């Protein structure tokens, strides 16, 4: 009787794992291929060879780009080199990427930048907040941008029990921001189990010096996050659920869900078009190719544009798609007055004219 019980439980467990693996293939679009779509003029950006995971563009046209992310389970073409922040001036006719110097006193050797967000203070000082993974942990680094010197001055490191496994960040005030947690567990094998079982334990967290709290939860893997132009709504991507959550922001910083926009692709970082309020989304058309990297069959790239976000029927269009022959693993797309930057988790970056 005992052996029968053990065999029954074993069989049920194997059946559950099998069902979850099939579901994982569906959630990652493991069989999907993309047809090429390209704006009229695009070229690779010289100097960005090891990723451009997130991009934030100031109203002035200066674009900050995080590069060199080392992320568990993802390839890295420069595993022994520290991460960097690059700057591009999109007002130039032929903008180039320039690595920013970082002030002494900051551990540059372990710099591992992920999501980024800028904040402009009342005195026009620009601050850059960076999700950092030194030694595979999570912190938020606050820098002051020195435009004349083209440098970053490190001001402080922010840590908190709720700021673990961070992915992206959007800053809305002096040291007031929302951030996404993309995995509940920090152990790699438990993360794999979490992904396979689709536990949906990740969340959006609000941080201020006086209060830190979870403000939206139930995500499969909370990823990119941004804010509407009028600062009334937060948009948060759930990468393996293939959707964007539209959340209303309240005066106490709480969030309530308005709706969910399903995209049918693994959506990564989100940005707002400063001219139209449209959402630009860097996406992974086939997540399995991203997780199991094969240079002979690399992960492709896809950029979606979502117009009329708050309407009953938002318009979703594909603005860029490539099978990996040009750009692998797109993670972000950011527009500025007819120009578009497309970044990747670990590969190159693209500059396009719309």
């Amino acid at each position: 009787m005992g052996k029968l019980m053990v065999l029954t439980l074993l069989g049920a467990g194997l059946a559950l794992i099998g069902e979850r693996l099939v579901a994982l293939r569906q959630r990652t679009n493991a069989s999907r291929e993309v047809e090429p779509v390209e704006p009229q003029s695009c070229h690779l950006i010289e100097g960005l060879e090891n990723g451009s995971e997130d991009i934030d563009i100031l109203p002035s046209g200066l674009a900050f780009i995080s590069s060199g992310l080392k992320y568990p389970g993802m390839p890295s073409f420069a595993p022994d080199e520290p991460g960097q922040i690059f700057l591009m001036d999109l007002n130039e006719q032929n903008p180039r990427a320039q690595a920013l110097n970082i002030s002494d006193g900051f551990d540059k050797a372990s710099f591992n930048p992920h999501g980024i967000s800028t904040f402009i203070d009342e005195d026009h000082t620009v601050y850059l907040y960076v999700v950092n993974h030194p030694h595979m942990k999570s912190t938020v680094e606050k820098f002051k941008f020195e435009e004349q010197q083209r440098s970053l001055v490190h001001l402080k490191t922010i840590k908190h029990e709720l700021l673990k496994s961070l992915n992206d960040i959007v800053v809305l005030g002096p040291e007031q921001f929302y951030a996404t947690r993309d995995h509940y567990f920090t152990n790699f094998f438990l993360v794999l189990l979490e992904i396979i079982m689709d536990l949906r334990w990740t969340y959006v967290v609000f941080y201020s010096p006086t209060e830190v709290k979870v403000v939206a939860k139930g995500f499969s893997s909370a990823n990119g996050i941004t804010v509407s132009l009028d600062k009334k709504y937060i948009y948060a991507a759930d990468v393996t659920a293939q959707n964007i959550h539209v959340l209303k922001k309240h005066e106490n910083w709480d969030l309530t869900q308005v709706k969910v926009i399903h995209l049918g692709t693994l959506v990564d970082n989100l940005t707002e078009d400063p001219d139209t309020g449209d959402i630009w989304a860097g996406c992974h058309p086939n997540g399995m190719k991203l997780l199991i990297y094969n240079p002979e069959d690399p992960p492709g790239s896809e950029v979606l544009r979502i117009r009329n976000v708050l309407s009953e029927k938002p318009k979703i269009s594909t603005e860029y798609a490539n099978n990996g022959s040009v750009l692998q693993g797109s993670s972000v797309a950011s527009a500025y007055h007819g120009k578009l930057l497309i970044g990747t988790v670990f590969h190159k970056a693209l500059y396009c004219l719309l």
Side-chain angles (χ1 to χ4, degrees):
M1 189 60 137
K3 290 182 179 180
L4 180 61
M5 179 66 73
V6 169
L7 290 173
T8 300
L9 292 174
L10 180 61
L14 291 174
L16 176 62
I17 292 174
E19 186 273 331
R20 291 287 86 194
L21 289 174
V22 170
L24 177 63
R25 285 185 57 84
Q26 293 174 343
R27 295 202 314 275
T28 57
N29 288 345
S31 301
R32 186 176 177 226
E33 302 291 342
V34 292
E35 295 295 325
V37 176
E38 189 169 319
Q40 59 178 345
S41 176
C42 290
H43 67 263
L44 293 171
I45 301 171
E46 184 178 351
L48 291 175
E49 309 292 335
N50 303 314
S52 39
E53 204 280 337
D54 202 8
I55 299 170
D56 199 340
I57 305 176
L58 295 175
S60 65
L62 294 179
F64 294 91
I65 304 168
S66 67
S67 180
L69 175 66
K70 287 85 177 169
Y71 191 83
M74 297 290 173
S76 172
F77 294 152
D80 299 323
E81 296 181 15
Q84 293 179 292
I85 301 294
F86 284 82
L87 187 75
M88 290 182 69
D89 187 347
L90 299 183
N91 298 296
E92 297 177 357
Q93 187 171 356
N94 298 300
R96 294 186 174 186
Q98 173 188 359
L100 293 176
N101 292 320
I102 299 178
S103 62
D104 294 334
F106 175 70
D107 184 5
K108 289 174 270 192
S110 67
F111 191 38
N112 189 11
H114 202 162
I116 61 176
S117 180
T118 55
F119 176 74
I120 303 174
D121 214 338
E122 292 179 353
D123 62 0
H124 307 295
T125 302
V126 175
Y127 297 95
L128 178 70
Y129 289 72
V130 181
V131 172
N132 185 25
H133 301 295
H135 312 293
M136 295 304 167
K137 299 187 182 298
S138 286
T139 63
V140 174
E141 310 294 346
K142 180 182 179 182
F143 297 94
K144 179 182 177 182
F145 174 54
E146 298 285 359
E147 185 171 352
Q148 296 299 321
Q149 292 79 17
R150 288 295 198 263
S151 65
L152 295 172
V153 177
H154 184 251
L155 299 179
K156 69 183 299 184
T157 297
I158 299 171
K159 300 179 182 179
H160 191 273
E161 184 67 23
L162 291 176
L163 300 178
K164 290 185 177 180
S165 299
L166 293 184
N167 187 295
D168 199 14
I169 182 173
V170 59
V171 183
L172 298 182
E175 296 191 21
Q176 295 166 316
F177 59 78
Y178 293 104
T180 54
R181 180 171 184 167
D182 60 11
H183 294 106
Y184 182 80
F185 295 109
T186 55
N187 178 277
F188 180 70
F189 295 102
L190 290 177
V191 169
L192 287 178
L193 179 63
E194 178 184 345
I195 293 172
I196 292 171
M197 299 305 294
D198 193 22
L199 295 179
R200 296 180 178 267
W201 288 355
T202 70
Y203 51 71
V204 176
V205 62
F206 167 72
Y207 174 91
S208 75
T210 58
E211 183 181 28
V212 186
K213 58 185 177 180
V214 174
V215 289
K217 55 187 178 180
F219 292 79
S220 180
S221 181
N223 202 293
I225 189 167
T226 192
V227 62
S228 62
L229 294 182
D230 61 10
K231 312 299 183 188
K232 294 181 179 179
Y233 297 91
I234 295 294
Y235 306 131
D238 191 338
V239 58
T240 47
Q242 304 182 17
N243 59 39
I244 296 173
H245 291 241
V246 178
L247 305 156
K248 184 173 178 58
K249 183 174 73 71
H250 300 282
E251 289 186 5
N252 64 354
W253 300 96
D254 284 350
L255 301 176
T256 54
Q257 184 165 290
V258 176
K259 64 176 178 177
V260 176
I261 303 173
H262 189 71
L263 298 180
T265 186
L266 283 79
V267 57
D268 201 318
N269 287 319
L270 309 173
T271 64
E272 274 267 301
D273 191 310
D275 295 329
T276 64
D278 299 342
I279 295 178
W280 289 85
C283 304
H284 307 289
N286 185 323
M288 194 60 73
K289 289 185 179 183
L290 195 67
L291 295 171
I292 306 174
Y293 183 74
N294 177 4
E296 302 300 319
D297 186 21
S301 294
E302 187 174 30
V303 171
L304 300 186
R305 183 176 187 175
I306 302 99
R307 296 177 172 88
N308 305 320
V309 178
L310 297 175
S311 68
E312 290 186 9
K313 293 184 178 180
K315 182 181 178 182
I316 302 169
S317 59
T318 302
E319 301 295 324
Y320 179 84
N322 179 263
N323 63 5
S325 60
V326 175
L327 204 65
Q328 302 177 16
S330 57
S331 56
V332 63
S334 191
Y336 179 79
H337 302 335
K339 301 170 184 178
L340 182 70
L341 297 179
I342 305 174
T344 65
V345 179
F346 57 84
H347 196 234
K348 301 180 181 182
L350 209 60
Y351 172 78
C352 300
L353 298 178
L354 298 173

